[in-house]
Amino acid sequence: MSKPVRVNDMVIRFANVNGTGSASANDLFSKAVFRMGIPLSSKNFFPSNIQGLPTWYEVRVSEKGYTGRRNGVDLLVAVNPQTYAKDIATVVPGGYFLYDSTKNLHPELIRKDINYIGIPMMKLCMENYDIPRQQQLFKNIVYIGALATLLDVEMEVIRDIIRQMFAKKEKLIPPNFKALDLGANYVKENFSWPLEIRLERRDALGDQIFMDGNSAASLGALYGGVTFAAWYPITPSTSVISAFEKYCKKYRTNPDGTTNYAIVQAEDELAAIGMVIGASWNGARAFTSTSGAGISLMTEFLGLAYFAEVPAVIVNVQRGGPSTGMPTRTQQSDIISCAYASHGDTKQVLLFPSTPAECFEMTAQALDLAERLQTPVLVMTDLDLGMNLHLSPALKWDDNRKYDRGKVLNRQQLEEAKQFGRYLDVDGDGICYRTLPGTHPTKGSFFTRGTSRDEFARYTEEGEAYVRNMQRLQKKWKTAADLVPAPEVTRTGTSKLGVIYFGTTKFSADEALDMLAEEGMKFDVLRIKAFPFGGDVHKFIKDHEQVVVIEQNRDAQMRTVLMTELEIDPAKLISVVNYDGMPIAADTIYDQIKKRLSPIAVKA
Amino acid sequence: MSKPVRVNDMVIRFANVNGTGSASANDLFSKAVFRMGIPLSSKNFFPSNIQGLPTWYEVRVSEKGYTGRRNGVDLLVAVNPQTYAKDIATVVPGGYFLYDSTKNLHPELIRKDINYIGIPMMKLCMENYDIPRQQQLFKNIVYIGALATLLDVEMEVIRDIIRQMFAKKEKLIPPNFKALDLGANYVKENFSWPLEIRLERRDALGDQIFMDGNSAASLGALYGGVTFAAWYPITPSTSVISAFEKYCKKYRTNPDGTTNYAIVQAEDELAAIGMVIGASWNGARAFTSTSGAGISLMTEFLGLAYFAEVPAVIVNVQRGGPSTGMPTRTQQSDIISCAYASHGDTKQVLLFPSTPAECFEMTAQALDLAERLQTPVLVMTDLDLGMNLHLSPALKWDDNRKYDRGKVLNRQQLEEAKQFGRYLDVDGDGICYRTLPGTHPTKGSFFTRGTSRDEFARYTEEGEAYVRNMQRLQKKWKTAADLVPAPEVTRTGTSKLGVIYFGTTKFSADEALDMLAEEGMKFDVLRIKAFPFGGDVHKFIKDHEQVVVIEQNRDAQMRTVLMTELEIDPAKLISVVNYDGMPIAADTIYDQIKKRLSPIAVKA
Amino acid sequence: MTFVKPTFRHPALTKNAVGFTKADYEGALSTLCAGCGHDSISASIVQACYELDIEPHRVAKFSGIGCSSKTPTYFLGNSHGFNTVHGRMPSVTTGANLANKDLIYLGVSGDGDSASIGLGQFCHVIRRNLNMTYIVMNNGCYGLTKGQDSATADRGSINKSGVENRFQSIDLAALALELGASFVARSFSGDKGQLIPLIKAALLHPGFAFIDVISPCVTFNNNDGSTKSYDFVRDHIDATSPLDFVPEEDEITLEYDPEKPAEVKLHDGSILNFYKLNPLWDPTDRNLSVERMNKARQEGHILTGLLYLEPSTSDLHKTLQTTAKPLNTLKEDDLCPGSQALDKINQGLR
Amino acid sequence: MTFVKPTFRHPALTKNAVGFTKADYEGALSTLCAGCGHDSISASIVQACYELDIEPHRVAKFSGIGCSSKTPTYFLGNSHGFNTVHGRMPSVTTGANLANKDLIYLGVSGDGDSASIGLGQFCHVIRRNLNMTYIVMNNGCYGLTKGQDSATADRGSINKSGVENRFQSIDLAALALELGASFVARSFSGDKGQLIPLIKAALLHPGFAFIDVISPCVTFNNNDGSTKSYDFVRDHIDATSPLDFVPEEDEITLEYDPEKPAEVKLHDGSILNFYKLNPLWDPTDRNLSVERMNKARQEGHILTGLLYLEPSTSDLHKTLQTTAKPLNTLKEDDLCPGSQALDKINQGLR
Ligand SMILES: Cc1ncc(C[n+]2csc(CCOP(=O)(O)OP(=O)(O)O)c2C)c(N)n1
Ligand SMILES: Cc1ncc(C[n+]2csc(CCOP(=O)(O)OP(=O)(O)O)c2C)c(N)n1
Ligand code: SF4
Ligand code: SF4
Ligand SMILES: [Mg+2]
Ligand SMILES: [Mg+2]
């Protein structure tokens, strides 16, 4: 088979065993592509265990800047014989299968329509390193060397990354270089290189960064002024807090060793959210992060915070549900359980970041909103965004930016106030004034509770007072719709057809829409950034005849919430879903939209 | 004021202090009305404390059989001076205010348009009983005596009830009779009696009973074969389990003192539902009952049971939310939080009883459904239904009825089976075969988990296996729609307008619809009995131009679920809600429907 | 409904060193049952804070859910309070405390709240040695939900429904000691002479201070009193609804000598044996404390007093090395690393 | 993915008294890290059940969530198992046990699962004296979420991120004893000679039997080993991602004499001091047990063996007086009072 050379357009998949050091080697490869100025994304598909099971790492390289997934692997780096058979099947016709040829491939594994590249990785390592652990470790670098050569990655870029990586442990640099060369040289001596799919330096990234969303969210918490974090470990949210701790140590430790923050690993998620509520009630900016079951366990406290009107910020890094589900796979399937978390009539504010930059910005913003609105705010990210490296606009902070601490009366204001009622709607926006403990010796104290109360925070069981309060909360909800980030509307005015998506779906969806546009099927696009939705979302749906809602869950949860909150006729909302735990792929969206849209609509 | 005599049509409200023994005295009055064959309902509005706070008890008497609430009090029995002012305001013009005249009424409390009846209750008691505790206690019986005389209640009926009440403690009968006479005689000597509103014996009740829903649900559990109950106390669900325990002691204790049941008061709701899941997994019929926060705390486990497909029955006696909310008030506000309980894509089966008879029947049925469908089933009752005495059809049990234990393979079936896969959809209905521990030494064992797995219950992280499983759960959901109780459709074929309601709303709604019908506004009616909804509900909505959905929560939660599950255009569904914690009243429904329905629709 | 106490009740009370009268430490009128032990504890809290010259607004009070957890409405009306959810007071207090180290943190809870649903949080707040006073108003039952046994109910005791409790009771003070609490005490609601000083000591203790206060529920511990004069009324109640009539009871009070057991008859006629530690004994020897508590338990005595004290304890703020300033007072300047630092971070991500 | 073990591994093993080979007690191939202590405990469970001649299907196994909680997949493949949710194994086991008193109930859990999120359920299942064996595979950390300290981590120990644990550790065995457990033991994963008999005794105990098994996490306790030969690799790991490379380790095994302390070096070079109880000592004296455990704790020893036993214990079924037949075998006839009784009930409601 001979094909035209394809530059900067490929999917490379690494099939490894977890715990063998492959993930950092694969990151090294991604980073090199990034440094060559070429758009890419990388995704890690890892098992829910610590060592010894199959794990995959997928790099999408796209000159055009498509950083979502697309199906089909152009080159597979196969280091795990356990999954050879399965891996080979994923390679597109004409693609490449790069494997460890220390052992021969079983004849059954030979496909005629793909190319095999055998590198004796283990053999090379055994010949060059003595200690078994080192042999295992450097095998990863050997295949990076081989791959880089085959694809024409600039070797000096890789060497630079290695130099930086081991800047503090220089003795590690030469053996890594050696491993790189072992792989590179083997290729040079045995194959024709580079391949017909290859990489070429570009300058397509501007000032973008390459980052995971969880670190970005933790920086948002840092910059947003969080002084207290409580959490309980759970994949894939754990790294939000570990990154937060790392940054706090660096940026929030005083010269005398004391800290301008406190972090508590709670005994469970109930305690974690309880602590956040306690700290927020007492005037500190506080947050927690969780996933999956953690959200279910926080349900009772989320209802308290909604009803007693206490700020709280929760970063929910969504994973495959229900129950323990697929803890190391991605989904957007907590929309309903978060939007209406807790028994009784409750509504919770949600933010939907799409990029690490938005994880940063929205976490900081969530802190403002939670205090302004005196209610929980959930940042709804997901495993894909949180744990994988993404191209992202650089993080930005305006040094003049002030935290919005919301309506909190200080001592003097209390002194001057004619009356204070914790739940009096003074401004008519549904948001009342609060006070912090310790503010004033005789004025402004009140009792916070999850039970019905009157405007002066006094317990009451009177139906009228209860209804007044619930209606004020509705009013506050309207206010919230104006305060949360507005949706992003793109490709406007071209079509009667609309597409709505949110979060990580953006990347594949944009690609799919380009594919459809090429066939003459044009869509206007709205990306939801927050719940409640606000007028723009309503207008967008009203202005289009058919609107496709794309999401990563089985039950079309965002579509449900759209219908419910905006009173939309479901006939208007066409659902495209993907929920197998893999980030949604462009082809999936493309296929489903074509299948779902009635021929009439398509022609429109 | 002189009005025509009104027979068997009134609202009587008792204003008491809790912990004073008034509730049982007031029950005595209700029971007497019941025994006179007159339709009635009685409702207790009690505070969330134990002693010393205002409490009200409302009896609706209705010749026509309207047993929902209607606004306006015809006669107020005022025993709590603390609330005199408020109580007086609730009396309709021309109504009566019966009070303890031991102390004079403050002149400010005098309304010209109502009638005052002063009975020196405390004085009579002090003159006739020595011990303060007895004085307090018999005050209640004194006002019952007075009231009965004023309304023409047959005194012998009351005496009979007292005789039965104290059948085992006969010495208590005479002093009670005496108190009754004290009240009665005082009326006879001081007032003209009976009043213009009065009672008259009828035979309008057939074989109906007068019962609270919680006891009925507990009997459903007993008859339905529950052998294990785990629970944690919470108002208003507590009496479900205490009644269950009482009945079990009576009907399930063996001659040797051992029991055919086990009840565990768990350490919290998480443990309670965990125990129920463990017992159900192991083949016992098990249930729990909870309210409010308890449902939120069960969220994680409900997700496990949905996904791992373990039966569980939960009686949710709904109360005023959110959070601790109004723990002694009624609402139907857990619909969304129960229908989609837990993170990820989940759907839970709900049943909605309207009468004690249905509490009985649906709890028994829930046990069948949970085992048939291998999933949690929630019986969604409420405080009003659960804790108040209602007229109800008699409880019925067919002695030939067999429990549906669902698809459970026994030893022999396992022996004969070619293969066993716990999650194999053998019958194509989405429901698979399960086995119980201990069944067979070498066949049929499997591992239950909340993580993704294949058809043979083996752990897998493969997207395809996960999707197959989630789609099968969807298929099972469809099967469920056919198995759950069908809705009740009444007044059919008369109108383009439909009304949908469920649960305790039935009573006031029927009255309101009669009022509207008198004005020429006719509605067809559908009462929802279960979620998922099934085709009948869909057809009903399709067949009508406008459908009013009446419910007792702020956010129109049932309407949301209808839209979501049946793909209904919200424009078609007109919402009528009441959420002040009081059972919805007929006038409220009447007013709101008139206000909400567009003039065009009304004419239709 | 919260009833505001008529202010004329305290015409001209003496002011304490910080200028407050005792009335300034009181709260709304209690809605608990007449004679409930919890009300006595509230009164002791009021007295302790008054005597300690604590400004009321320097106290933040917390509770879970239950009759006991309602009491913060009935004391320290000038303090902020937070009635959280059932069993989760410790976590909310932990967050609040970390937000502002400068206030005094007082949590009250019930035995249902702390020994059942809240047992995990109870244990973990001890483990963290949070600087707070934690009072359990221990009545061996669930008052607010009408008298079910709690996990601290004595094995063999008879509850409201006439059922014998067949489970081992959890001794929260012994548990606290096992988990390393630095201040462990026990007292009786009716013994203000002992309770007030203990509350004062607890409030001053620079770490976690636990007081288990036996506090009889007059309503639901009121079941076994067949020898009592109000027999007739009781029969009446039994025949109707057990929860409908709550006879008013007097508060049980108690004064007794150290080192001599004191018998207390509860409203139901059952007897508690209190045994007060001599104030001169050394509460700082942990082994000795364990031994004495085990011994008392075996003998069926309830040992009261300061059971254990570790004076030089270091609270959670010390453990976490938080800055001297309350975290909730830190401003943008203290917290935000600024755009230059962010540019550097960005640079590291390229 | 669950890998099925190749069956040729056990060509022709001896059968036990009930006709099963040891292979019949094994499960799927473990996916834990090479050398993980938990795998040794699984092996001991297999051996214990084989030796006890228990038919595999008479065991029901339960767990929470964690590496430890995965092990039920790796032993007793012919038994039903239930991997519940994090920290809630005790409640599910309680329900299961009450449904069928005739099976043998075995729960395994981790220290995160039992001492943090599950501490409340742990305490309450003890209080109910459920007839079950409860094994905690105690590695002082959260293995599955990558090495955070758990509540049983020793104060002062250094975790994977190089941070010192500054909190008091919870001693689950001491806690179990305080809460009245009727069988309390401790052992070490590598000491099969001690562990297997303890598991056997626990399975035979007619009430709640708790075994705290110290079970080193080779991956995340593997942090401080600067003296180790694979220094170079460790540096490498530190410089990249700490969780990415997990060197294979050998299992740590141990045999030692009673009454003589044994030092065990963990993979990270840290040292545990085990101190085995003489099998001849009397474990039925609760006070003595408390004393010995306190003493060992103060001396920094880990006391192993059967720490306490109350032989004549009465389990939850006895407490509740359930019928001899398993509740899950009762039929309509046993359960349903029938229509006549219902008519009577109806009559009472008119
Ligand atoms: C999650 C939850 N479950 C149950 C309840 C119901 N409830 C309210 S108070 C209480 C028990 C209170 O007992 P305790 O803490 O001992 O307080 P007491 O009333 O005896 O002072 C319960 C179970 C609740 N409020 N929340
Ligand atoms: C509710 C909930 N919170 C968090 C998690 C994530 N999680 C999985 S295992 C685990 C800790 C396990 O620690 P341990 O019980 O000690 O087991 P080990 O892995 O150390 O054997 C956690 C926190 C979860 N599964 N569920
Ligand atoms: S029920 Fe008991 S605990 Fe509650 S207020 Fe009354 S006496 Fe106190
Ligand atoms: S991470 Fe630790 S506990 Fe988990 S399997 Fe690996 S060695 Fe065992
Ligand atoms: Mg209590
Ligand atoms: Mg562990």
Side-chain angles (χ1 to χ4, degrees), chain D residues 130-146:
Chain D
L130 192 76
N131 185 0
M132 75 174 290
T133 297
Y134 193 123
I135 295 176
V136 168
M137 303 183 171
N138 188 348
N139 55 12
C141 75
Y142 287 24
L144 191 55
T145 54
K146 313 212 158 164

Side-chain angles (χ1 to χ4, degrees), chain A residues 424-473:
Chain A
L424 272 176
D425 186 6
V426 178
D427 303 328
D429 56 1
I431 306 171
C432 310
Y433 287 83
R434 63 179 188 133
T435 57
L436 301 181
T439 302
H440 193 288
T442 55
K443 291 181 170 178
S445 74
F446 69 96
F447 202 68
T448 305
R449 41 164 66 88
T451 42
S452 46
R453 71 269 151 160
D454 67 9
E455 284 76 359
F456 295 89
R458 290 174 304 216
Y459 181 68
T460 177
E461 289 166 357
E462 281 186 33
E464 283 164 29
Y466 169 83
V467 169
R468 277 200 310 276
N469 187 56
M470 289 299 280
Q471 287 175 344
R472 181 182 54 73
L473 287 170

